[in-house]
Amino acid sequence: MRLLRFLSQWLSPVRYVIPLPQLLDAFFWLHTFVFYRHIFQVLEALIRAINSWQEVHWTLHRFGGIEWQVNGQEIGHLHGNGVLDVRLPTYEAARQAQKLGLALEHHTYPGSAWVSLCLQSSAELPAAIALLQQAAENFSASRNQNTPPCVMIP
């Protein structure tokens, strides 16, 4: 987590150079696979669980990793070093998750509805799945409330 925080703070201009964040995260995935196989297996289990959800679609995250979306809205993404970032419905929900010890303050956007989890063992999987489920339900429910689309006024 400290390495990711360092990289996001000190190398933030580099993240906009298109292939660099993806290459760095690919290195994280390879490093985790080779040296921390038990963590890699936890990440695989999380990916299988989330990808099995009906409304959730995955794509590559713009700064590296795997991103999950519901109705075109990002609910979270997973970095190759085991850091999972989740976008909760509200700032209060994020603070509650932190108080309960389910998540940490987000490594790049502290004070937001984003939280981070550092997946080190299968013991963290239930919390990760629950938080992603909460995020997915938020965007799933918002689509079903018959909200009108945005209209541009000339």
Side-chain angles (χ1 to χ4, degrees), residues 33-140:
F33 178 77
V34 172
F35 297 107
Y36 300 99
R37 187 64 63 101
H38 64 285
I39 295 174
F40 190 84
Q41 291 170 342
V42 171
L43 304 183
E44 280 186 313
L46 178 67
I47 291 167
R48 279 194 305 273
I50 306 308
N51 287 349
S52 71
W53 297 350
Q54 185 100 22
E55 293 185 11
V56 175
H57 304 282
W58 73 272
T59 186
L60 296 178
H61 190 263
R62 66 188 177 278
F63 299 133
I66 297 171
E67 177 180 314
W68 291 287
Q69 298 179 352
V70 172
N71 296 323
Q73 297 291 319
E74 181 182 359
I75 62 169
H77 57 270
L78 179 63
H79 297 281
N81 60 351
V83 173
L84 171 67
D85 297 321
V86 180
R87 180 182 177 190
L88 293 177
T90 63
Y91 170 80
E92 291 76 20
R95 299 298 76 77
Q96 184 66 19
Q98 290 175 21
K99 286 180 187 175
L100 294 173
L102 300 175
L104 304 169
E105 187 172 57
H106 191 267
H107 58 92
T108 305
Y109 301 112
S112 70
W114 283 91
V115 295
S116 295
L117 292 84
C118 194
L119 300 174
Q120 300 293 313
S121 72
S122 58
E124 285 109 4
L125 273 177
I129 290 171
L131 290 174
L132 282 165
Q133 181 68 41
Q134 184 180 1
E137 287 171 358
N138 177 56
F139 289 109
S140 177

